[in-house]
């Protein structure tokens, strides 16, 4: 395929799921009216949700999920060796995500028992983001990822041009949608600290932003905490919001 | 200017006529805040009964009707190595906006100077401005309103007609021929001595209601002198770099351009998106260099554009004193407080 006379790059892409809900892959798979266009941009050689054949010859590896087992570490390292570009696909891969809540508990045996009962389970004590195991070249944030952002990123790859993340917080898009700020409604919101790019999906539907895309660049965490306290939220409520995806440094 | 009065029931008739034939936006209750206080904004109405005349202020500025947050300024059809550009200036049916307060009407007058009357007029803005009929309305100053300090509390031009509630009727200031002709469809009355007195009384009352203010005396010079002041750093420590202030400001007009190509690489759009100078990526250029990486400096430049740069270029402030930025700012950064901290 060409664009303005320039041949597009058509890389071979493979999707791999690790510990996660596979919701990020689903965002691509269930985007029916655009799926064919999307897979014409890259040659998808491995994608469990849409392909039955598997092929281990790829340029870009999209890694979904966090790393919680020994075999996952080995598998991830092998993928890294093969891939020219390794992408952390979604918040679990980028930060550890919901799975990483496990790391907050002191007694890991209690956690295992609480979650898995008496079923035998092989799991590491600590959950890791992908970059704690291998080098990551590129991050796609979100729980789940935003389809149109993924499309724009893959398009940039095809064009061979740099993709520029939005660096500012969600509030900017929230106000564009002319929402009433949730703080005015007495709700807490992580929008002022969270990276934009989701179209302020949650506040636009009356729900607090819970920070799923991780921090915007240079977030003013310190003063935002003061603001949250001033608005009557408890330390506990604030911590819940900050810790949910393990994306914010305390 | 021509003054008339109109009975409220005749005014409703007038609205009925306008609503029937035009796309008509007027104040409506859009939500309630945590203290159960209603929040109002302009919405499309189909019947004058849908209009809420008890509105206090419009939550978001009417700027969006002229300068949308995001608009495609051109689109492209791409075939092989050639392309065809399509530009479509909006020529929709005329629009009517009811309920703009003096600050908002004056904000449009300021935007006119840049986007319609300046060296590089914007056809996108101009066509919407020319195609919009504006009915202004008088207001009750709120604790955050400081329009009087920047001279935008009265309307000299910029709307078609302006209404002042004097009990069972409105005092009308007629600014345009269109308004004059429209009003022929209903009964209006010439003003009497009584109306005149009532008008003056209401004006006096309003003037007494202002609580917030800024002192603009020699402000451009003081800002010049305080360019390196530590005060900016203090405000910068609070600023979240969220851009809410620019999003709710009726006069912010800075924008960025983005190009979007469809997945088939057959169609593209050039999007104009209003930006905000307090955002970290506002002054980032190709190659990644950022001219304004520091929060306090970005915040400072927002104030310098409103209260210094624009004043030097147009002999008036770009801030109309609506107070929206301070109300929207979670960090509590308000224009009166910032300006007085700089003057101290
Ligand atoms: S609702 Fe949340 S995202 Fe929206 S403006 Fe308020 S704090 Fe920001
Ligand atoms: S609003 Fe916040 S929580 Fe919701 S999708 Fe966006 S970043 Fe995630
Ligand atoms: S700023 Fe002035 S014009 Fe605007 S609503 Fe307040 S009092 Fe009215
Ligand atoms: S001044 Fe307030 S509204 Fe503006 S960017 Fe800073 S924190 Fe956000
Ligand atoms: S700077 Fe603030 S007070 Fe001034 S016009 Fe803009 S929003 Fe209103």
């Amino acid at each position: 395929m060409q664009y303005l006379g320039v041949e597009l790059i058509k890389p071979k892409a493979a999707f791999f799921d690790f510990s996660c809900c596979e919701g990020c892959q689903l965002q691509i798979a269930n985007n029916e009216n655009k799926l064919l266009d999307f897979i014409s941009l890259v040659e998808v050689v491995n994608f469990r949700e849409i392909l039955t054949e598997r092929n281990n010859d790829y340029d870009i590896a999209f890694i979904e999920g966090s790393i919680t087992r020994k075999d996952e570490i080995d598998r991830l390292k092998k993928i890294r060796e093969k891939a020219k570009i390794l992408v952390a696909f979604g918040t679990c891969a980028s930060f550890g995500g919901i799975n990483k809540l496990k790391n907050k508990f002191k007694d890991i045996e209690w956690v295992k028992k609480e979650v898995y009962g008496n079923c035998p389970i092989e799991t590491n004590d600590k959950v890791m983001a992908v970059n704690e195991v291998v080098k990551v070249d590129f991050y796609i944030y979100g729980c789940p990822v935003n389809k149109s952002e993924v499309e724009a990123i893959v398009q940039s790859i095809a064009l061979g041009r740099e993709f520029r993340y939005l660096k500012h917080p969600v509030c900017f898009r929230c106000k564009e949608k002319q929402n009433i700020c949730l703080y005015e409604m007495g709700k807490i919101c992580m929008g002022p600290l969270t990276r934009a790019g989701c179209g302020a999906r949650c506040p636009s539907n009356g729900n607090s932003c819970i920070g799923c895309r991780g921090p915007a660049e240079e977030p003013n965490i310190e003063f935002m905490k003061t603001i949250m306290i001033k608005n009557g939220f408890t330390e506990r409520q604030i911590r819940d919001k900050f810790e949910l995806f393990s994306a914010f440094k305390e | 200017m021509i003054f008339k009065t109109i009975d409220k029931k005749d005014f409703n008739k007038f609205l009925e006529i306008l609503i029937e034939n035009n796309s008509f936006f007027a104040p409506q209750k859009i939500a309630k805040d945590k203290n159960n206080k209603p929040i109002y904004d302009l919405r499309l109405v189909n019947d004058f009964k849908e209009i809420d005349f008890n509105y206090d202020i419009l939550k978001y500025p009417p700027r969006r009707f002229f300068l949308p947050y995001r608009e495609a300024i051109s689109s492209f059809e791409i075939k092989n190595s050639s392309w065809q550009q399509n530009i479509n200036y909006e020529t929709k049916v005329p629009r009517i906006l009811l309920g703009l307060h003096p600050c908002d009407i004056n904000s449009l007058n300021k935007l006119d100077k840049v986007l319609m009357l300046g060296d590089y007029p914007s056809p996108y803005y101009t066509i919407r401005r020319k195609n919009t009929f504006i009915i202004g309305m008088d207001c009750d100053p709120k604790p955050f309103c400081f329009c009087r300090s920047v001279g935008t509390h009265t309307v000299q031009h910029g709307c078609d007609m302006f209404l002042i509630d004097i009990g069972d009727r409105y005092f009308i200031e007629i600014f345009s021929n269109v308004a004059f002709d429209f009003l022929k469809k209903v009964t209006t009355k010439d003003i009497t001595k009584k109306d005149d007195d009532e008008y003056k009384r209401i004006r006096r009352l309003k003037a007494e209601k202002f609580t917030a203010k800024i002192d603009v005396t020699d402000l451009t010079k003081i800002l010049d002198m305080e360019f390196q002041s530590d005060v900016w750093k203090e405000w910068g420590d609070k600023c979240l770099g969220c851009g809410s202030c620019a999003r709710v400001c009726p006069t912010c007009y800075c924008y960025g351009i983005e190009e979007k190509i469809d997945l088939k690489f057959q169609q593209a759009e050039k999007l104009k998106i209003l930006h905000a100078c307090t955002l970290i990526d506002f002054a980032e250029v190709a190659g990644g260099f950022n001219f304004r990486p520091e929060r306090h400096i970005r915040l400072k430049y927002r104030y310098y554009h409103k209260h210094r740069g624009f004043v030097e270029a147009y002999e008036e402030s770009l801030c109309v004193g609506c107070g929206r930025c301070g109300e929207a700012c979670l960090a509590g950064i308000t224009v009166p407080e910032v300006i007085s901290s700089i003057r101290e």
Side-chain angles (χ1 to χ4, degrees):
Chain A
M1 199 171 16
Q2 282 199 338
Y3 175 63
L4 295 177
V6 178
E7 198 58 48
L8 298 176
I9 302 162
K10 190 168 179 180
K12 294 197 182 83
F15 289 78
F16 300 98
D17 38 83
F18 286 77
S19 295
C20 62
C21 71
E22 293 185 33
C24 288
Q25 284 192 53
L26 197 60
Q27 288 299 306
I28 308 300
N30 72 5
N31 198 3
E32 280 108 3
N33 54 348
K34 285 184 172 175
L35 184 60
L36 286 177
D37 293 336
F38 179 81
I39 57 179
S40 70
L41 286 182
V42 285
E43 190 181 323
V44 181
V45 295
N46 200 330
F47 195 142
R48 202 162 64 87
E49 287 182 6
I50 56 173
L51 282 182
T52 42
E53 307 97 76
R54 307 260 173 118
N55 182 334
N56 270 334
D57 172 25
Y58 46 81
D59 305 308
I60 308 180
F62 288 87
I63 308 295
E64 187 196 32
S66 52
I67 311 303
T68 63
R69 288 196 317 254
K70 217 169 271 115
D71 62 302
E72 287 187 333
I73 298 180
D74 300 336
R75 188 169 149 238
L76 180 59
K77 284 183 175 159
K78 283 204 187 98
I79 294 169
R80 176 71 269 191
E81 278 166 25
K82 281 200 188 126
K84 293 199 187 83
I85 301 173
L86 187 137
V87 181
F89 189 56
T91 285
C92 290
S94 300
F95 304 110
I98 297 284
N99 301 331
K100 214 176 180 178
L101 280 173
K102 176 168 102 173
N103 296 14
K104 313 271 178 213
F105 293 91
K106 285 200 188 80
D107 183 357
I108 189 66
E109 292 312 318
W110 177 86
V111 175
K112 282 188 202 167
K113 186 120 188 94
E114 189 66 20
V115 177
Y116 297 104
N118 290 324
C119 300
I121 177 76
E122 200 247 290
T123 177
N124 293 347
D125 288 355
K126 294 279 175 205
V127 171
M128 289 184 284
V130 172
N131 66 5
E132 293 175 72
V133 183
V134 295
K135 181 173 158 275
V136 171
D137 302 302
F138 203 83
Y139 296 87
I140 303 181
Y141 306 113
C143 181
V145 295
N146 173 2
K147 296 177 214 211
S148 45
E149 197 179 42
V150 176
E151 282 163 14
I153 289 169
V154 171
Q155 214 171 28
S156 303
I157 296 172
L159 286 167
R161 76 178 180 193
E162 187 195 359
F163 177 79
R164 293 179 73 185
Y165 293 107
L166 297 177
K167 296 183 171 172
H168 54 257
V170 171
C171 291
F172 189 59
R173 274 310 293 274
C174 185
K175 285 282 193 293
E176 175 178 337
K177 300 216 164 154
Q178 297 161 52
N179 296 326
I180 303 302
C181 181
L182 289 169
Y183 282 93
E184 277 183 67
M185 314 294 254
K187 291 189 192 166
I188 195 168
C189 182
M190 285 292 276
L193 301 174
T194 305
R195 186 186 293 273
C198 61
R201 206 185 312 176
C202 302
S204 302
N205 290 294
N207 299 317
S208 307
C209 169
I210 49 177
C212 86
R213 293 172 56 82
E217 241 136 282
E218 295 186 30
N220 192 347
I221 290 180
E222 202 184 312
F223 198 66
M224 194 58 217
K225 279 190 178 164
T226 312
I227 294 168
M228 287 170 168
I229 291 166
K230 235 195 231 155
N231 275 272
F233 298 104
T234 61
E235 295 277 355
R236 172 72 195 264
Q237 284 172 308
I238 297 168
R239 208 175 56 226
D240 279 354
K241 289 283 175 288
F242 273 85
E243 289 186 347
L244 191 55
F245 295 100
S246 290
F248 290 85
K249 285 197 197 74
E250 309 276 319
Chain B
M1 199 185 315
I2 300 170
F3 302 111
K4 293 272 183 195
T5 61
I6 186 167
D7 283 348
K8 284 192 174 164
K9 59 172 181 13
D10 289 317
F11 185 66
N12 288 343
K13 218 179 286 160
F14 177 64
L15 291 181
E16 263 178 73
I17 300 168
L18 294 186
I19 291 170
E20 200 181 316
N21 300 309
N22 299 282
S23 76
F24 193 102
F25 294 81
Q28 280 192 349
K29 206 177 283 160
I30 56 161
K32 277 185 182 165
D33 72 7
K34 60 182 169 195
N35 302 317
N36 235 0
K37 193 183 144 314
I39 298 170
Y40 303 90
D41 208 347
L42 294 179
R43 290 290 183 269
L44 192 66
V45 295
N46 297 308
D47 188 311
F48 79 90
K49 292 190 197 84
E50 294 170 17
I51 303 172
D52 199 329
F53 285 100
N54 291 323
Y55 77 105
D56 48 7
I57 59 153
L58 303 173
K59 188 69 180 172
Y60 280 87
R63 174 190 60 176
R64 64 187 185 277
F65 291 95
F66 308 91
L67 195 59
Y69 287 104
R70 175 179 298 258
E71 64 178 313
I73 52 175
S74 66
S75 61
F76 301 83
E77 304 285 335
I78 301 153
K79 270 204 190 96
N80 305 321
S81 50
S82 72
W83 47 273
Q84 165 80 41
Q85 183 180 24
N86 305 306
I87 298 180
N88 214 339
Y89 300 127
E90 191 183 314
T91 47
K92 282 193 192 138
V93 284
R95 260 188 317 212
I96 300 181
L97 307 183
L98 168 81
L100 270 56
H101 287 166
C103 54
D104 284 336
I105 295 167
N106 282 304
S107 76
L108 296 174
N109 292 338
K110 288 177 198 287
L111 290 178
D112 289 351
K113 291 197 173 163
V114 181
L115 301 171
M116 195 162 80
L117 309 166
D119 291 340
Y120 303 100
S122 156
Y124 303 90
Y125 176 88
T126 306
I127 201 145
R128 294 189 185 116
R129 187 73 166 109
K130 300 266 183 218
N131 251 340
T132 307
F133 183 86
I134 296 175
I135 308 174
M137 285 195 105
D138 198 26
C139 50
D140 222 7
K142 295 282 157 294
F144 45 81
C145 296
F146 59 95
C147 54
R148 198 160 184 247
S149 306
V150 281
T152 50
H153 59 312
T154 63
V155 173
Q156 312 297 341
H157 64 103
C159 64
D160 294 88
M161 53 193 277
F162 190 83
L163 305 171
I164 295 147
D165 192 332
I166 50 170
D168 56 352
R169 58 207 191 288
Y170 288 111
F171 188 99
I172 320 175
E173 302 172 359
I174 303 169
F175 289 92
S176 75
N177 297 341
V178 186
F180 186 79
D181 289 341
F182 265 159
L183 280 165
K184 284 185 189 152
K185 296 186 205 283
V186 284
T187 320
T188 55
K189 291 178 195 136
D190 290 335
I191 53 166
T192 61
K193 175 80 176 59
K194 205 174 130 237
D195 299 327
D196 206 6
D197 291 344
E198 187 59 10
Y199 176 86
K200 284 191 230 157
R201 190 184 70 84
I202 285 174
R203 281 279 143 274
R204 253 195 324 272
L205 264 180
K206 182 174 171 182
E208 286 162 11
K209 281 188 187 158
F210 287 97
T211 49
K213 56 175 184 294
I214 65 169
D215 181 0
V216 294
T217 321
D218 288 326
L219 186 57
T220 52
K221 294 170 213 162
I222 291 169
L223 285 170
D224 256 355
M225 290 185 276
E226 299 303 330
F227 193 73
Q228 305 289 359
S229 167
D230 289 339
V231 174
W232 293 115
K233 186 79 189 52
E234 283 165 33
W235 290 113
D237 286 343
K238 296 186 171 176
C239 178
L240 305 164
C242 70
S244 290
C245 44
R247 280 296 194 224
V248 301
C249 178
T251 65
C252 280
Y253 54 80
C254 291
Y255 63 91
I257 294 283
E258 230 176 72
E259 273 145 15
K260 283 236 151 75
I261 314 163
D262 78 331
L263 277 181
K264 290 191 172 81
F265 288 89
Q266 289 167 353
Q267 273 166 352
E269 264 187 341
K270 204 184 269 285
L271 292 172
K272 172 179 171 182
I273 302 168
L274 291 192
H275 220 285
C277 52
T278 50
L279 299 184
I280 189 160
D281 31 17
F282 178 75
E284 199 184 65
V285 293
F289 186 79
N290 194 339
F291 283 94
R292 309 233 179 103
E294 289 162 294
R295 221 161 35 218
H296 73 279
I297 295 187
R298 295 197 299 271
L299 181 66
K300 175 166 82 179
Y301 273 103
R302 181 157 194 274
Y303 278 82
Y304 274 69
H305 184 205
K306 298 279 179 209
H307 299 278
R308 184 183 168 279
F310 200 85
V311 185
E312 298 209 326
Y314 298 96
E315 294 180 354
E316 59 182 73
S317 145
L318 182 58
C319 172
V320 294
C322 71
R324 283 192 185 95
C325 56
E327 286 298 289
C329 179
L330 289 170
I333 301 172
T334 71
V335 179
E337 280 180 84
V338 171
I339 297 296
S340 76
S341 73
I342 290 299
R343 297 192 72 100
E344 269 162 23

